[in-house]
Amino acid sequence: MEEMSTEFIPANLLHGFFIGDEETYIFLFKEYYVGLCAYSRRYVGRKDIAEEIVSETFLKIWENRSSIIIHSSIKSYLFQAVCNNSLNYVRKLKSENKLELYFQDTQFNNIGFVETVEEIEEKSLLMTDFSLEIEKAMSQLPPQQQKAFRLKRQDGKKIREIAQMMGLSVKTVEMHLSKATINLRERLKNLIPSFLIFLWLN
């Protein structure tokens, strides 16, 4: 990997970024999510699409973190990546001859540039502790799913250990974990950005 400038990047943050530390990514997401969404909307004109683009950008960065090269700051890298992905989204619409209809629909629904960054911040769950929503969703899972999921996610138990503790087969535990993941993703999808759900469930 080429030498990188770390002038604006604390060493621990840079290290966490490249080793895939979850806390680092959650910090970056909470720190820049609102600004990145507002920035993306300058190109795509829609809040919902901008949020999708930002979440997908973080997901791609997470998946490709070992090969990423940063020459400036993480913040600059994130904004450039979101810019590129936003432009790609618009280019794709244009290539499919959907661009004019898309922006007509955006204007009609009045969901383009209405909200300010400050208004987005006020509504954003990321400005609060989203763990409350996660805990609420977990508490609504069926008892066996909830127990298996808590043992794995919160206690760090392996599947075989969970099976022994719960008196179940490994296959049954895997089934409970799979169903718990599906249920949680469905319950949280309108409350928490998709990348954070991905990060937390994986």
Side-chain angles (χ1 to χ4, degrees):
M1 184 176 292
E2 296 179 18
E3 184 178 350
M4 293 172 291
S5 169
T6 59
E7 182 180 357
F8 305 106
I9 309 173
N12 59 335
L13 185 62
L14 182 64
H15 178 68
F17 179 88
F18 285 111
I19 67 171
D21 175 63
E22 289 186 11
E23 293 301 319
T24 298
Y25 276 79
I26 290 173
F27 168 80
L28 290 170
F29 201 90
K30 293 176 73 173
E31 184 76 7
Y32 298 119
Y33 176 75
V34 171
L36 288 169
C37 285
Y39 186 57
S40 177
R41 283 172 59 207
R42 297 180 186 178
Y43 298 96
V44 301
R46 284 179 53 172
K47 178 177 180 290
D48 57 336
I49 299 300
E51 289 175 343
E52 287 181 20
I53 288 171
V54 173
S55 278
E56 288 174 4
T57 299
F58 268 92
L59 179 58
K60 289 177 183 177
I61 289 172
W62 169 267
E63 292 175 338
N64 298 293
R65 60 190 180 276
S66 62
S67 60
I68 287 174
I69 298 174
I70 298 178
H71 294 288
S72 55
S73 68
I74 291 180
K75 178 180 178 181
S76 296
Y77 181 86
L78 291 172
F79 274 85
Q80 185 60 56
V82 166
C83 174
N84 292 340
N85 291 333
S86 299
L87 289 173
N88 287 339
Y89 182 86
V90 174
R91 290 188 188 106
K92 185 173 185 295
L93 288 174
K94 185 176 181 180
S95 69
E96 297 173 353
N97 295 317
K98 297 177 181 178
L99 190 61
E100 184 175 352
L101 180 62
Y102 170 82
F103 280 106
Q104 285 177 351
D105 182 62
T106 297
Q107 186 176 13
F108 177 76
N109 287 291
N110 198 32
I111 52 178
F113 305 100
V114 179
E115 293 175 296
T116 65
V117 172
E118 290 75 19
E119 288 171 332
I120 298 172
E121 288 177 347
E122 289 176 2
K123 296 179 180 179
S124 177
L125 180 63
L126 292 171
M127 299 301 105
T128 65
D129 187 356
F130 62 83
S131 62
L132 295 176
E133 293 295 338
I134 290 175
E135 180 58 36
K136 180 180 177 181
M138 287 179 61
S139 69
Q140 295 172 347
L141 291 173
Q144 291 289 76
Q145 290 181 29
Q146 184 179 160
K147 185 174 182 180
F149 192 84
R150 288 186 185 278
L151 285 170
K152 186 175 188 299
R153 179 63 192 182
Q154 296 180 335
D155 298 343
K157 302 294 184 183
K158 296 180 179 179
I159 293 179
R160 191 168 296 278
E161 293 176 309
I162 297 172
Q164 292 175 348
M165 294 173 70
M166 295 182 66
L168 303 172
S169 69
V170 169
K171 288 292 184 183
T172 301
V173 170
E174 289 176 343
M175 178 194 69
H176 284 317
L177 290 172
S178 176
K179 288 185 175 180
T181 299
I182 292 171
N183 284 338
L184 287 170
R185 185 176 286 115
E186 182 65 24
R187 292 176 187 274
L188 295 169
K189 67 180 182 180
N190 294 322
L191 300 170
I192 298 176
S194 58
F195 175 71
L196 286 184
I197 296 174
F198 165 82
L199 199 61
W200 187 72
L201 291 177
N202 290 276

